[in-house]
Amino acid sequence: MGSAHDGTGVRNLAMAGPAVARDRSSSRRANLGLVLRLLRDDGPRTRTRIADDTGLPKATVSNLTAELLDGGLIREGGTERDRTTVGRPGQSVEIDGTGVHGIGAEINVDYVGLLAVNLKGEVTAEKRVPFDVRAAGPDAVLDATARLIARGAERLRRAGGRVVGVTLATPGTVDLASGTVTYASNIGWSGVRALDGLRRRLGPTAPELHLENDAKLGALAEYVPASADGVRDLVHVTGQTGVGVGIIAGGQLLRGTGGYAGEVGHLRLVPSEQPCACGRRGCWETAVGRDALLRHAADPGDMVWDPMIDVARRLTELRARAQAGDPRTLDALHRIADALAPGIALLVDILNPRLVVLGGHFAFFGEHLLPTVTEQVHDLVMAPDAGGCEIVLSRTGLTATTRGAALLALDAVYRDPTRVMSTG
């Protein structure tokens, strides 16, 4: 994983790049963020090692770590012998910030969800509520989402924590500047000013709010652990009612000119005449999305179709049927695998990623999908050995989007720790 002072790492995936020092105050904030990101990305280390890794003078590092300690964002760790010195071991410092939280909120076809993490990356709150989002309409959905955020934030505050930001994740295309869901066919939204709606509902004490596409946030969540293994090129394929991809290229989140990069679910990649929510027929997601899986695996009226039952419970039921050898469920999974492979092969041919990560319901049924998809992708991709690409299952599953959203909500602290220290 790249160290905090080079061009790699999680920090550059977020809404702004590294801070640029313009005066003494901004230089101090930038250096505080530099030290904090180093400890996040590369783990505990002594002040001497921090100075070596960042190129900052030792006296400056001592002052910076003292500020971060006083601000509650780092803490003293164990002793550690510096590799380049002899003598007594030094005292290391490490990320603390257990009272500083970011919240990720997700609106999907059949649920609204929330997940909070602290600066250490520990999950501090999690909730998913079944909800027929398309039928309810934007106002009712934003009501439910605001309630979920308010209750989660209040629980964290009662425990002595502080929420520094909330990122809202939705399917479809979004305009970051205005906080608008411009078009999300699967939930029936067009031109919905989602962040304005949340601000009105949460009131003047609402934390900082941001909006982002669900697949891109899922890619961010998957990149965090993968980057520790040196992976800098990754494609995350969502397995939801809709299908999209989040692309990490060279350690950077690829958004495209208008933010539309990764909208592959509406390409015609396999033969299909199924109607799509976008109004066309034969889109890839009609062959591999959750509705396709349910259509092949169960009749309408089966509990796995019920949007008011938690999606994890419904997928667990289908997985149990597959493990029990139910012919219809197994046939459905074979169909999904056969339709999934050509699209992934196309992505591998175009992007040549190190990893393709299968998320959502694809990860739930990995043992039934992964062998077939891997074999077919290797047959279809032009480059030998699929160009070095490995197809793997999501490490974060159904929480990938909310986890990525929560990490993004904390980004402001890593860019400028004084935002928290000055009021904490």
Side-chain angles (χ1 to χ4, degrees), residues 253-276:
L253 179 64
L254 184 63
R255 303 200 79 259
T257 301
Y260 302 146
E263 291 294 325
V264 301
H266 298 289
L267 298 179
R268 297 198 64 165
L269 300 178
V270 294
S272 171
E273 288 301 321
Q274 281 292 325
C276 182

Side-chain angles (χ1 to χ4, degrees), residues 1-5 34-54 61 65 74-83 90-95:
M1 186 173 185
S3 64
H5 59 283
L34 185 66
V35 172
L36 198 61
R37 294 193 299 268
L38 174 66
L39 295 174
R40 175 194 66 187
D41 291 348
D42 289 355
R45 56 235 305 108
T46 64
R47 292 160 178 81
T48 299
R49 283 186 66 191
I50 293 172
D52 291 341
D53 290 340
T54 61
V61 169
T65 54
I74 67 173
R75 65 185 179 188
E76 299 283 4
T79 56
E80 176 183 331
R81 189 177 298 278
D82 291 313
R83 295 164 294 183
Q91 185 84 25
S92 68
V93 291
E94 61 188 20
I95 288 284

Side-chain angles (χ1 to χ4, degrees), residues 389-411:
C389 175
E390 183 181 1
I391 304 170
V392 299
L393 303 179
S394 167
R395 305 190 198 194
T396 54
L398 294 175
T399 68
T401 293
T402 48
R403 188 180 297 265
L407 291 171
L408 196 56
L410 287 173
D411 180 68

Side-chain angles (χ1 to χ4, degrees), residues 108-182:
N108 214 298
V109 173
D110 44 14
Y111 63 86
V112 293
L114 174 143
L115 186 141
V117 299
N118 61 25
L119 279 188
K120 295 187 70 176
E122 299 165 335
V123 175
T124 53
E126 186 174 0
K127 181 76 171 177
R128 187 170 54 240
V129 179
F131 208 92
D132 191 342
V133 167
R134 187 182 184 97
D139 284 337
V141 174
L142 291 174
D143 286 344
T145 305
R147 285 195 298 270
L148 199 60
I149 293 170
R151 290 169 183 169
E154 179 59 26
R155 284 195 297 271
L156 294 170
R157 282 193 291 268
R158 285 202 303 266
R162 177 188 176 194
V163 175
V164 296
V166 176
T167 304
L168 176 66
T170 71
T173 57
V174 299
D175 180 70
L176 302 187
S178 65
T180 300
V181 180
T182 53

